[in-house]
PDB file of all heavy atoms in Angstrom:
ATOM      1  N   SER A   1      -4.172  -3.722   2.529  1.00 95.00           N
ATOM      2  CA  SER A   1      -3.611  -2.712   1.607  1.00 95.00           C
ATOM      3  C   SER A   1      -4.543  -1.509   1.573  1.00 95.00           C
ATOM      4  O   SER A   1      -5.738  -1.531   1.951  1.00 95.00           O
ATOM      5  CB  SER A   1      -3.488  -3.275   0.231  1.00 95.00           C
ATOM      6  OG  SER A   1      -2.578  -4.293   0.163  1.00 95.00           O
ATOM      7  N   MET A   2      -3.950  -0.377   1.185  1.00 96.00           N
ATOM      8  CA  MET A   2      -4.616   0.839   0.951  1.00 96.00           C
ATOM      9  C   MET A   2      -4.204   1.353  -0.440  1.00 96.00           C
ATOM     10  O   MET A   2      -3.121   1.027  -0.873  1.00 96.00           O
ATOM     11  CB  MET A   2      -4.267   1.912   2.002  1.00 96.00           C
ATOM     12  CG  MET A   2      -4.472   1.421   3.423  1.00 96.00           C
ATOM     13  SD  MET A   2      -4.022   2.628   4.681  1.00 96.00           S
ATOM     14  CE  MET A   2      -5.484   3.638   4.768  1.00 96.00           C
ATOM     15  N   GLY A   3      -5.115   2.104  -1.143  1.00 98.00           N
ATOM     16  CA  GLY A   3      -4.772   2.476  -2.445  1.00 98.00           C
ATOM     17  C   GLY A   3      -5.509   3.713  -2.904  1.00 98.00           C
ATOM     18  O   GLY A   3      -6.411   4.216  -2.278  1.00 98.00           O
ATOM     19  N   TRP A   4      -5.140   4.097  -4.097  1.00 98.00           N
ATOM     20  CA  TRP A   4      -5.792   5.277  -4.781  1.00 98.00           C
ATOM     21  C   TRP A   4      -6.125   4.857  -6.257  1.00 98.00           C
ATOM     22  O   TRP A   4      -5.352   4.229  -6.921  1.00 98.00           O
ATOM     23  CB  TRP A   4      -4.869   6.441  -4.850  1.00 98.00           C
ATOM     24  CG  TRP A   4      -4.636   7.083  -3.526  1.00 98.00           C
ATOM     25  CD1 TRP A   4      -3.605   6.877  -2.662  1.00 98.00           C
ATOM     26  CD2 TRP A   4      -5.496   8.100  -2.888  1.00 98.00           C
ATOM     27  NE1 TRP A   4      -3.773   7.638  -1.512  1.00 98.00           N
ATOM     28  CE2 TRP A   4      -4.846   8.436  -1.678  1.00 98.00           C
ATOM     29  CE3 TRP A   4      -6.656   8.787  -3.282  1.00 98.00           C
ATOM     30  CZ2 TRP A   4      -5.429   9.334  -0.776  1.00 98.00           C
ATOM     31  CZ3 TRP A   4      -7.159   9.704  -2.400  1.00 98.00           C
ATOM     32  CH2 TRP A   4      -6.591   9.968  -1.195  1.00 98.00           C
ATOM     33  N   TYR A   5      -7.352   5.262  -6.659  1.00 98.00           N
ATOM     34  CA  TYR A   5      -7.813   5.163  -8.012  1.00 98.00           C
ATOM     35  C   TYR A   5      -8.161   6.549  -8.470  1.00 98.00           C
ATOM     36  O   TYR A   5      -8.357   7.414  -7.656  1.00 98.00           O
ATOM     37  CB  TYR A   5      -9.038   4.213  -8.072  1.00 98.00           C
ATOM     38  CG  TYR A   5      -8.740   2.781  -8.033  1.00 98.00           C
ATOM     39  CD1 TYR A   5      -8.312   2.132  -6.874  1.00 98.00           C
ATOM     40  CD2 TYR A   5      -9.004   1.949  -9.194  1.00 98.00           C
ATOM     41  CE1 TYR A   5      -8.074   0.805  -6.808  1.00 98.00           C
ATOM     42  CE2 TYR A   5      -8.780   0.623  -9.147  1.00 98.00           C
ATOM     43  CZ  TYR A   5      -8.328   0.017  -7.943  1.00 98.00           C
ATOM     44  OH  TYR A   5      -8.120  -1.317  -7.942  1.00 98.00           O
ATOM     45  N   ARG A   6      -8.416   6.689  -9.757  1.00 98.00           N
ATOM     46  CA  ARG A   6      -8.973   7.928 -10.287  1.00 98.00           C
ATOM     47  C   ARG A   6      -9.857   7.628 -11.430  1.00 98.00           C
ATOM     48  O   ARG A   6      -9.777   6.584 -12.096  1.00 98.00           O
ATOM     49  CB  ARG A   6      -7.875   8.880 -10.699  1.00 98.00           C
ATOM     50  CG  ARG A   6      -7.116   8.497 -11.939  1.00 98.00           C
ATOM     51  CD  ARG A   6      -6.051   9.554 -12.255  1.00 98.00           C
ATOM     52  NE  ARG A   6      -5.397   9.300 -13.493  1.00 98.00           N
ATOM     53  CZ  ARG A   6      -4.289   9.990 -13.979  1.00 98.00           C
ATOM     54  NH1 ARG A   6      -3.808  10.944 -13.243  1.00 98.00           N
ATOM     55  NH2 ARG A   6      -3.800   9.681 -15.102  1.00 98.00           N
ATOM     56  N   GLN A   7     -10.814   8.576 -11.688  1.00 98.00           N
ATOM     57  CA  GLN A   7     -11.710   8.411 -12.798  1.00 98.00           C
ATOM     58  C   GLN A   7     -11.872   9.794 -13.468  1.00 98.00           C
ATOM     59  O   GLN A   7     -12.407  10.706 -12.880  1.00 98.00           O
ATOM     60  CB  GLN A   7     -13.089   7.897 -12.416  1.00 98.00           C
ATOM     61  CG  GLN A   7     -14.045   7.536 -13.569  1.00 98.00           C
ATOM     62  CD  GLN A   7     -15.206   6.762 -13.116  1.00 98.00           C
ATOM     63  OE1 GLN A   7     -15.536   6.631 -11.965  1.00 98.00           O
ATOM     64  NE2 GLN A   7     -15.850   6.101 -14.100  1.00 98.00           N
ATOM     65  N   ALA A   8     -11.367   9.859 -14.700  1.00 96.00           N
ATOM     66  CA  ALA A   8     -11.547  11.090 -15.526  1.00 96.00           C
ATOM     67  C   ALA A   8     -12.906  11.049 -16.251  1.00 96.00           C
ATOM     68  O   ALA A   8     -13.437  10.018 -16.425  1.00 96.00           O
ATOM     69  CB  ALA A   8     -10.351  11.190 -16.498  1.00 96.00           C
ATOM     70  N   PRO A   9     -13.379  12.214 -16.636  1.00 92.00           N
ATOM     71  CA  PRO A   9     -14.641  12.316 -17.315  1.00 92.00           C
ATOM     72  C   PRO A   9     -14.671  11.456 -18.573  1.00 92.00           C
ATOM     73  O   PRO A   9     -13.720  11.530 -19.441  1.00 92.00           O
ATOM     74  CB  PRO A   9     -14.756  13.781 -17.669  1.00 92.00           C
ATOM     75  CG  PRO A   9     -13.968  14.468 -16.669  1.00 92.00           C
ATOM     76  CD  PRO A   9     -12.791  13.573 -16.396  1.00 92.00           C
ATOM     77  N   GLY A  10     -15.674  10.578 -18.685  1.00 94.00           N
ATOM     78  CA  GLY A  10     -15.812   9.749 -19.829  1.00 94.00           C
ATOM     79  C   GLY A  10     -14.901   8.586 -19.910  1.00 94.00           C
ATOM     80  O   GLY A  10     -14.889   7.786 -20.909  1.00 94.00           O
ATOM     81  N   LYS A  11     -14.165   8.336 -18.835  1.00 96.00           N
ATOM     82  CA  LYS A  11     -13.203   7.206 -18.790  1.00 96.00           C
ATOM     83  C   LYS A  11     -13.466   6.278 -17.654  1.00 96.00           C
ATOM     84  O   LYS A  11     -14.203   6.602 -16.688  1.00 96.00           O
ATOM     85  CB  LYS A  11     -11.757   7.735 -18.658  1.00 96.00           C
ATOM     86  CG  LYS A  11     -11.300   8.522 -19.883  1.00 96.00           C
ATOM     87  CD  LYS A  11      -9.809   8.871 -19.817  1.00 96.00           C
ATOM     88  CE  LYS A  11      -9.350   9.575 -21.048  1.00 96.00           C
ATOM     89  NZ  LYS A  11      -7.880   9.899 -20.962  1.00 96.00           N
ATOM     90  N   GLN A  12     -12.972   5.072 -17.745  1.00 97.00           N
ATOM     91  CA  GLN A  12     -13.052   4.088 -16.693  1.00 97.00           C
ATOM     92  C   GLN A  12     -12.190   4.462 -15.501  1.00 97.00           C
ATOM     93  O   GLN A  12     -11.157   5.123 -15.663  1.00 97.00           O
ATOM     94  CB  GLN A  12     -12.751   2.703 -17.180  1.00 97.00           C
ATOM     95  CG  GLN A  12     -13.750   2.146 -18.156  1.00 97.00           C
ATOM     96  CD  GLN A  12     -13.520   0.692 -18.491  1.00 97.00           C
ATOM     97  OE1 GLN A  12     -12.345   0.243 -18.503  1.00 97.00           O
ATOM     98  NE2 GLN A  12     -14.530  -0.088 -18.756  1.00 97.00           N
ATOM     99  N   ARG A  13     -12.599   3.959 -14.297  1.00 97.00           N
ATOM    100  CA  ARG A  13     -11.799   4.176 -13.166  1.00 97.00           C
ATOM    101  C   ARG A  13     -10.496   3.338 -13.310  1.00 97.00           C
ATOM    102  O   ARG A  13     -10.527   2.220 -13.748  1.00 97.00           O
ATOM    103  CB  ARG A  13     -12.570   3.717 -11.887  1.00 97.00           C
ATOM    104  CG  ARG A  13     -11.886   4.030 -10.582  1.00 97.00           C
ATOM    105  CD  ARG A  13     -12.780   3.727  -9.354  1.00 97.00           C
ATOM    106  NE  ARG A  13     -14.050   4.534  -9.415  1.00 97.00           N
ATOM    107  CZ  ARG A  13     -14.917   4.600  -8.450  1.00 97.00           C
ATOM    108  NH1 ARG A  13     -14.684   3.851  -7.328  1.00 97.00           N
ATOM    109  NH2 ARG A  13     -15.995   5.273  -8.530  1.00 97.00           N
ATOM    110  N   GLU A  14      -9.392   3.913 -12.943  1.00 97.00           N
ATOM    111  CA  GLU A  14      -8.086   3.293 -13.073  1.00 97.00           C
ATOM    112  C   GLU A  14      -7.266   3.331 -11.789  1.00 97.00           C
ATOM    113  O   GLU A  14      -7.355   4.375 -11.077  1.00 97.00           O
ATOM    114  CB  GLU A  14      -7.287   3.882 -14.239  1.00 97.00           C
ATOM    115  CG  GLU A  14      -6.916   5.373 -14.060  1.00 97.00           C
ATOM    116  CD  GLU A  14      -6.081   5.931 -15.185  1.00 97.00           C
ATOM    117  OE1 GLU A  14      -5.493   5.145 -15.964  1.00 97.00           O
ATOM    118  OE2 GLU A  14      -5.955   7.163 -15.231  1.00 97.00           O
ATOM    119  N   ILE A  15      -6.484   2.343 -11.553  1.00 97.00           N
ATOM    120  CA  ILE A  15      -5.662   2.290 -10.357  1.00 97.00           C
ATOM    121  C   ILE A  15      -4.492   3.175 -10.528  1.00 97.00           C
ATOM    122  O   ILE A  15      -3.940   3.324 -11.601  1.00 97.00           O
ATOM    123  CB  ILE A  15      -5.219   0.851 -10.022  1.00 97.00           C
ATOM    124  CG1 ILE A  15      -4.622   0.869  -8.607  1.00 97.00           C
ATOM    125  CG2 ILE A  15      -4.356   0.310 -11.026  1.00 97.00           C
ATOM    126  CD1 ILE A  15      -4.405  -0.491  -8.015  1.00 97.00           C
ATOM    127  N   ILE A  16      -4.138   3.896  -9.470  1.00 98.00           N
ATOM    128  CA  ILE A  16      -2.925   4.714  -9.422  1.00 98.00           C
ATOM    129  C   ILE A  16      -1.833   3.952  -8.679  1.00 98.00           C
ATOM    130  O   ILE A  16      -0.688   3.709  -9.255  1.00 98.00           O
ATOM    131  CB  ILE A  16      -3.140   6.044  -8.736  1.00 98.00           C
ATOM    132  CG1 ILE A  16      -4.273   6.860  -9.451  1.00 98.00           C
ATOM    133  CG2 ILE A  16      -1.849   6.822  -8.639  1.00 98.00           C
ATOM    134  CD1 ILE A  16      -4.684   8.061  -8.709  1.00 98.00           C
ATOM    135  N   ALA A  17      -2.126   3.576  -7.474  1.00 98.00           N
ATOM    136  CA  ALA A  17      -1.093   2.874  -6.610  1.00 98.00           C
ATOM    137  C   ALA A  17      -1.727   2.159  -5.491  1.00 98.00           C
ATOM    138  O   ALA A  17      -2.895   2.457  -5.085  1.00 98.00           O
ATOM    139  CB  ALA A  17      -0.091   3.954  -6.110  1.00 98.00           C
ATOM    140  N   ARG A  18      -0.931   1.318  -4.910  1.00 98.00           N
ATOM    141  CA  ARG A  18      -1.432   0.498  -3.808  1.00 98.00           C
ATOM    142  C   ARG A  18      -0.272   0.308  -2.829  1.00 98.00           C
ATOM    143  O   ARG A  18       0.873   0.186  -3.315  1.00 98.00           O
ATOM    144  CB  ARG A  18      -1.914  -0.896  -4.285  1.00 98.00           C
ATOM    145  CG  ARG A  18      -2.431  -1.811  -3.306  1.00 98.00           C
ATOM    146  CD  ARG A  18      -3.172  -2.945  -4.010  1.00 98.00           C
ATOM    147  NE  ARG A  18      -3.694  -3.966  -3.080  1.00 98.00           N
ATOM    148  CZ  ARG A  18      -4.665  -4.822  -3.349  1.00 98.00           C
ATOM    149  NH1 ARG A  18      -5.243  -4.764  -4.546  1.00 98.00           N
ATOM    150  NH2 ARG A  18      -5.100  -5.667  -2.465  1.00 98.00           N
ATOM    151  N   ILE A  19      -0.568   0.245  -1.523  1.00 97.00           N
ATOM    152  CA  ILE A  19       0.520   0.062  -0.541  1.00 97.00           C
ATOM    153  C   ILE A  19       0.026  -0.958   0.454  1.00 97.00           C
ATOM    154  O   ILE A  19      -1.068  -0.885   0.991  1.00 97.00           O
ATOM    155  CB  ILE A  19       0.952   1.384   0.147  1.00 97.00           C
ATOM    156  CG1 ILE A  19       2.043   1.230   1.105  1.00 97.00           C
ATOM    157  CG2 ILE A  19      -0.296   2.080   0.799  1.00 97.00           C
ATOM    158  CD1 ILE A  19       2.685   2.547   1.479  1.00 97.00           C
ATOM    159  N   THR A  20       0.925  -1.934   0.839  1.00 95.00           N
ATOM    160  CA  THR A  20       0.539  -2.954   1.775  1.00 95.00           C
ATOM    161  C   THR A  20       0.778  -2.416   3.158  1.00 95.00           C
ATOM    162  O   THR A  20       1.331  -1.353   3.446  1.00 95.00           O
ATOM    163  CB  THR A  20       1.404  -4.164   1.621  1.00 95.00           C
ATOM    164  OG1 THR A  20       2.775  -3.906   1.942  1.00 95.00           O
ATOM    165  CG2 THR A  20       1.348  -4.650   0.086  1.00 95.00           C
ATOM    166  N   ALA A  21       0.325  -3.217   4.173  1.00 92.00           N
ATOM    167  CA  ALA A  21       0.500  -2.874   5.580  1.00 92.00           C
ATOM    168  C   ALA A  21       1.986  -2.742   5.903  1.00 92.00           C
ATOM    169  O   ALA A  21       2.337  -1.942   6.772  1.00 92.00           O
ATOM    170  CB  ALA A  21      -0.183  -3.860   6.511  1.00 92.00           C
ATOM    171  N   GLY A  22       2.757  -3.456   5.261  1.00 93.00           N
ATOM    172  CA  GLY A  22       4.208  -3.427   5.476  1.00 93.00           C
ATOM    173  C   GLY A  22       4.997  -2.361   4.765  1.00 93.00           C
ATOM    174  O   GLY A  22       6.176  -2.194   4.938  1.00 93.00           O
ATOM    175  N   GLY A  23       4.241  -1.651   3.909  1.00 95.00           N
ATOM    176  CA  GLY A  23       4.872  -0.580   3.175  1.00 95.00           C
ATOM    177  C   GLY A  23       5.312  -0.799   1.752  1.00 95.00           C
ATOM    178  O   GLY A  23       5.793   0.030   1.069  1.00 95.00           O
ATOM    179  N   ALA A  24       5.068  -2.047   1.297  1.00 97.00           N
ATOM    180  CA  ALA A  24       5.413  -2.353  -0.080  1.00 97.00           C
ATOM    181  C   ALA A  24       4.381  -1.665  -1.049  1.00 97.00           C
ATOM    182  O   ALA A  24       3.212  -1.560  -0.771  1.00 97.00           O
ATOM    183  CB  ALA A  24       5.342  -3.838  -0.353  1.00 97.00           C
ATOM    184  N   THR A  25       4.965  -1.053  -2.080  1.00 97.00           N
ATOM    185  CA  THR A  25       4.115  -0.256  -3.000  1.00 97.00           C
ATOM    186  C   THR A  25       4.091  -0.778  -4.395  1.00 97.00           C
ATOM    187  O   THR A  25       5.000  -1.508  -4.807  1.00 97.00           O
ATOM    188  CB  THR A  25       4.701   1.189  -3.091  1.00 97.00           C
ATOM    189  OG1 THR A  25       6.044   1.152  -3.524  1.00 97.00           O
ATOM    190  CG2 THR A  25       4.609   1.885  -1.766  1.00 97.00           C
ATOM    191  N   MET A  26       3.003  -0.548  -5.059  1.00 97.00           N
ATOM    192  CA  MET A  26       2.797  -0.902  -6.443  1.00 97.00           C
ATOM    193  C   MET A  26       2.225   0.308  -7.153  1.00 97.00           C
ATOM    194  O   MET A  26       1.287   0.879  -6.651  1.00 97.00           O
ATOM    195  CB  MET A  26       1.866  -2.118  -6.548  1.00 97.00           C
ATOM    196  CG  MET A  26       1.572  -2.558  -8.003  1.00 97.00           C
ATOM    197  SD  MET A  26       0.343  -1.569  -8.926  1.00 97.00           S
ATOM    198  CE  MET A  26      -1.122  -1.908  -7.940  1.00 97.00           C
ATOM    199  N   TYR A  27       2.702   0.617  -8.323  1.00 97.00           N
ATOM    200  CA  TYR A  27       2.238   1.715  -9.102  1.00 97.00           C
ATOM    201  C   TYR A  27       1.777   1.204 -10.523  1.00 97.00           C
ATOM    202  O   TYR A  27       2.443   0.385 -11.085  1.00 97.00           O
ATOM    203  CB  TYR A  27       3.236   2.833  -9.281  1.00 97.00           C
ATOM    204  CG  TYR A  27       3.631   3.481  -7.980  1.00 97.00           C
ATOM    205  CD1 TYR A  27       4.675   3.029  -7.203  1.00 97.00           C
ATOM    206  CD2 TYR A  27       3.006   4.649  -7.586  1.00 97.00           C
ATOM    207  CE1 TYR A  27       5.047   3.680  -6.017  1.00 97.00           C
ATOM    208  CE2 TYR A  27       3.301   5.297  -6.420  1.00 97.00           C
ATOM    209  CZ  TYR A  27       4.355   4.809  -5.635  1.00 97.00           C
ATOM    210  OH  TYR A  27       4.657   5.413  -4.480  1.00 97.00           O
ATOM    211  N   ALA A  28       0.676   1.828 -11.033  1.00 95.00           N
ATOM    212  CA  ALA A  28       0.390   1.605 -12.472  1.00 95.00           C
ATOM    213  C   ALA A  28       1.574   2.147 -13.247  1.00 95.00           C
ATOM    214  O   ALA A  28       2.174   3.172 -12.832  1.00 95.00           O
ATOM    215  CB  ALA A  28      -0.864   2.257 -12.773  1.00 95.00           C
ATOM    216  N   ASP A  29       1.853   1.550 -14.320  1.00 93.00           N
ATOM    217  CA  ASP A  29       3.062   1.970 -15.125  1.00 93.00           C
ATOM    218  C   ASP A  29       2.971   3.444 -15.481  1.00 93.00           C
ATOM    219  O   ASP A  29       3.996   4.143 -15.469  1.00 93.00           O
ATOM    220  CB  ASP A  29       3.193   1.090 -16.385  1.00 93.00           C
ATOM    221  CG  ASP A  29       3.649  -0.348 -16.094  1.00 93.00           C
ATOM    222  OD1 ASP A  29       4.235  -0.540 -14.993  1.00 93.00           O
ATOM    223  OD2 ASP A  29       3.481  -1.169 -16.977  1.00 93.00           O
ATOM    224  N   SER A  30       1.828   3.880 -15.872  1.00 88.00           N
ATOM    225  CA  SER A  30       1.635   5.254 -16.349  1.00 88.00           C
ATOM    226  C   SER A  30       1.787   6.271 -15.184  1.00 88.00           C
ATOM    227  O   SER A  30       1.854   7.502 -15.416  1.00 88.00           O
ATOM    228  CB  SER A  30       0.323   5.434 -17.045  1.00 88.00           C
ATOM    229  OG  SER A  30      -0.775   5.146 -16.209  1.00 88.00           O
TER     230      SER A  30
END
């Protein structure tokens, strides 16, 4: 899988989305 996270100032790192080798995707609800 490959994915993206982000970290805003003063906040914890949070997941944005993830994608598998086959192209299936998962997104954080927000």
Side-chain angles (χ1 to χ4, degrees):
S1 294
M2 307 177 83
W4 289 93
Y5 282 70
R6 72 182 185 185
Q7 187 166 19
K11 294 188 177 181
Q12 289 188 329
R13 191 173 296 189
E14 61 178 345
I15 189 167
I16 300 171
R18 182 169 178 157
I19 184 168
T20 69
T25 57
M26 179 282 292
Y27 294 89
D29 287 342
S30 61

